Amino acid sequence: MDKDLIPKRTFVQKYHVKGLVGTFIFLLLLWGSAVMTGVNWGEFFTNLDQFFDLLSRMAHPAWDYTNIVIQPILETIQMALIGTTIGTLIAIPFSILAARNLIKNAVVRGVIRFILNLVRTLPDLLLAALFVAIVGIGSTAGVWTLAVFSFGMISKLFYETIETIDDGPLEALRAAGANNVQVVVFAVVPQVLNSFVSYFLYTFEINVRASTVLGYLGAGGIGVYLQRSLSSFRYDQTAVIVIAILLIVIVIDSVSNSLRERLQ
Amino acid sequence: MTENIKKQNFAARYGWIFWAVIVLLFYVWSITGLKFSGLQESAGEVSKSIVNGLFHPEWGYFYDGSGEDLFSLIIQTLAIAFLGTFVSAILSVPFAFWAARGLEENKLHLRSSSGKFVLVFIRTFPELVLAIMFIKAVGPGSFAGVLAVSIHSIGMLGKLFGEAIENMDRGSEEAIQSAGGSKADMWLLATMPTIMPEFLSYTLYRFEIAVRSASILGMVGAGGIGTPLLFAIQTRNWPRVGIILLGIIVMVTMIDLISGSIRKKLV
C-alpha cells in the first residue's frame, strides 16, 4: 500500500500542543491566583492550633442559649415564606412575558430576559446590604432581599417550564376564539401548575438557607444572633445557632422534598 | 350508568380544604409573626441615590493603580473563587466515593449514609461563619476567603460528584475487571475517565456560584470586592456603590457566559 495514504498527524496533534498549552495556562492561572490571594500554607499550619481551639470551643455548645434561639429561627422561616411568596407573585407576569411560545415579540422578550439576568447576578448578601440601607435594620429588609432574590431565580425556572408545555391546547383555544388571557388561564396554567408549586417549594428551601445569614448584615432572623455571638467571641453560642440552622434546614428540606415528590 | 362512576370518598372530595386551611394558617402565622417596621423616611431618597449612583458611577475608581481599585479587587475575587473551587474539587473526590451508594447496597448503608450526612452538614454550615473561623486562623484577607470557599464547596460538589458516580455507566469497569485488571486499574482506567467530564462540568458550575459568594465574603473581611462595597454602602458613597455593582454584574455575567459555553462542549 502506498505510504502516503496513511494519514499523517499534524505537528499540533503529534506533540499534543493543545493539551499542553491548556495545562500550562491552567497552572499559570492557579499560580496567579495563589499569588493574588496571598496563599501561605506555612501560616495556615502554624495557626492551625487556633483553629482547633475555636472548634473545640464550638464542640461544647451552650445549651441554655436554645430558648433564645427558637424565636429568631421561626422568624427566619416566616421571612423566607413571605419573601418567596412576594417574589413568586412578581415573577409570574415576568415569566409569561419571557416565554418564547407565548410572546412572539422578540424585543419585549429580550428586554425582560435582560432584566431577569441582571437581577440573578446579584448575590443574596449584597441585596441584603442594599435593602438594609434602604428600609432600615429589621426583618422587612430581609423579606425584600428574599423577594428580589427569589424573583430572579423563580422567573427563570417558570419561563423555562412554560416553554416546554404542549402547544395543542393553546392552538385549540385560539382556534375557538379565546383571547390571550383565556389562553393563559385555561391552557397554560393547568399544564404548569404542578411544576410551579414544586419550584416554589424548591426556592423556599433555598431561601430558608439564605435567610439564616441575612441577619448578619442586620436583615433580621437568626443571622442577627449569629453576628452577635461571633463578635462577642461566644463560640459556644455560635455552635447552638449552627445546630439550630442545621435542624431547621433538614426539616424544611425533607418536608418540601416529600411534598414535591407527591406533586410529580 | 351512574354506578360506573366511582364515588369519591370523603377524604378525596374535601381533602383540598384541609390543605388550604393549613397553608392559610401558615401564612397567617408568618404575616402576624413578622414585625413590619415600615419604611424609614429616607427610603425613597436612598433608593433614588442608589439608582442615580448606578447611572453616574465613579469611573475614577475603576483603575487607579493603587491595588485597591475595582479592577484589582475584581481580579482578586475571581482568584479566590478559582483557587477555592480547584482545591475543593480535589477534596470532594474522596467525599464523593464515601457518599456514593453502590449498586447492590441498601438505601440505609452505613458508609454511604454517613457520608451523605457529613455532606449535608458541610452544605448547611454557613459559609460566612466558616470565613470568620478561618480569619481567626490566618488573619483577615483573601486567603481566609479561599479556605472558606474550598471547604464550603465540598458540601455541594461532593453531593453532585457522588450522584454522578451512582449513575455512571459501569460497562468499562466490567471490561477492565474481566480482562484481569486490579481494583486500582479499574479505578484509574475506567471509573475516572468515565466520570471526568461530569466532574469538570459540575466544578465549572460550582465556580459560577463561588464567584458570587467570593464577591460577598469580603463583607466579613475575607478579601475581594465585598469589603469596599460594604464600606461604600455604610458611608453612603452611592457613586462608588454604583461602579462596584456594575463591576460585579459584568464579572458574574462574563463568567456565566464563558463557563456555560465550556460546559455545553463537555457534556
Side-chain angles (χ1 to χ4, degrees), chain B residues 6 112 143 178 213-214:
Chain B
K6 234 188 182 172
S112 149
F143 186 35
S178 48
S213 55

PDB file of all heavy atoms in Angstrom, chain B residues 6 112 143 178 213-214:
ATOM      1  N   LYS B   6     -67.057   6.047  39.877  1.00  0.00           N
ATOM      2  CA  LYS B   6     -66.684   5.752  41.257  1.00  0.00           C
ATOM      3  C   LYS B   6     -67.020   6.941  42.134  1.00  0.00           C
ATOM      4  O   LYS B   6     -66.706   8.072  41.785  1.00  0.00           O
ATOM      5  CB  LYS B   6     -65.176   5.481  41.307  1.00  0.00           C
ATOM      6  CG  LYS B   6     -64.839   4.151  41.961  1.00  0.00           C
ATOM      7  CD  LYS B   6     -63.355   4.107  42.128  1.00  0.00           C
ATOM      8  CE  LYS B   6     -62.850   2.853  42.705  1.00  0.00           C
ATOM      9  NZ  LYS B   6     -61.383   2.869  42.622  1.00  0.00           N
ATOM     10  N   SER B 112     -22.345   4.908  53.060  1.00  0.00           N
ATOM     11  CA  SER B 112     -22.941   5.917  52.188  1.00  0.00           C
ATOM     12  C   SER B 112     -23.792   6.913  52.968  1.00  0.00           C
ATOM     13  O   SER B 112     -23.693   8.124  52.760  1.00  0.00           O
ATOM     14  CB  SER B 112     -23.758   5.200  51.121  1.00  0.00           C
ATOM     15  OG  SER B 112     -24.831   5.971  50.720  1.00  0.00           O
ATOM     16  N   PHE B 143      -6.837  34.985  51.655  1.00  0.00           N
ATOM     17  CA  PHE B 143      -6.519  33.575  51.904  1.00  0.00           C
ATOM     18  C   PHE B 143      -7.627  32.919  52.729  1.00  0.00           C
ATOM     19  O   PHE B 143      -8.025  31.775  52.458  1.00  0.00           O
ATOM     20  CB  PHE B 143      -5.169  33.468  52.607  1.00  0.00           C
ATOM     21  CG  PHE B 143      -4.684  32.058  52.794  1.00  0.00           C
ATOM     22  CD1 PHE B 143      -4.948  31.080  51.843  1.00  0.00           C
ATOM     23  CD2 PHE B 143      -3.958  31.700  53.918  1.00  0.00           C
ATOM     24  CE1 PHE B 143      -4.505  29.784  52.008  1.00  0.00           C
ATOM     25  CE2 PHE B 143      -3.512  30.403  54.083  1.00  0.00           C
ATOM     26  CZ  PHE B 143      -3.791  29.445  53.135  1.00  0.00           C
ATOM     27  N   SER B 178     -12.932  -7.898  33.768  1.00  0.00           N
ATOM     28  CA  SER B 178     -12.933  -9.209  33.115  1.00  0.00           C
ATOM     29  C   SER B 178     -11.651  -9.439  32.342  1.00  0.00           C
ATOM     30  O   SER B 178     -11.284 -10.583  32.056  1.00  0.00           O
ATOM     31  CB  SER B 178     -14.147  -9.349  32.206  1.00  0.00           C
ATOM     32  OG  SER B 178     -14.266  -8.222  31.400  1.00  0.00           O
ATOM     33  N   SER B 213     -20.242  34.044  45.669  1.00  0.00           N
ATOM     34  CA  SER B 213     -20.020  34.091  47.126  1.00  0.00           C
ATOM     35  C   SER B 213     -18.698  34.786  47.450  1.00  0.00           C
ATOM     36  O   SER B 213     -18.594  35.448  48.468  1.00  0.00           O
ATOM     37  CB  SER B 213     -20.111  32.710  47.761  1.00  0.00           C
ATOM     38  OG  SER B 213     -19.241  31.822  47.159  1.00  0.00           O
ATOM     39  N   ALA B 214     -17.699  34.677  46.561  1.00  0.00           N
ATOM     40  CA  ALA B 214     -16.435  35.371  46.827  1.00  0.00           C
ATOM     41  C   ALA B 214     -16.648  36.875  46.816  1.00  0.00           C
ATOM     42  O   ALA B 214     -15.943  37.613  47.517  1.00  0.00           O
ATOM     43  CB  ALA B 214     -15.387  34.985  45.788  1.00  0.00           C
TER      44      ALA B 214
END
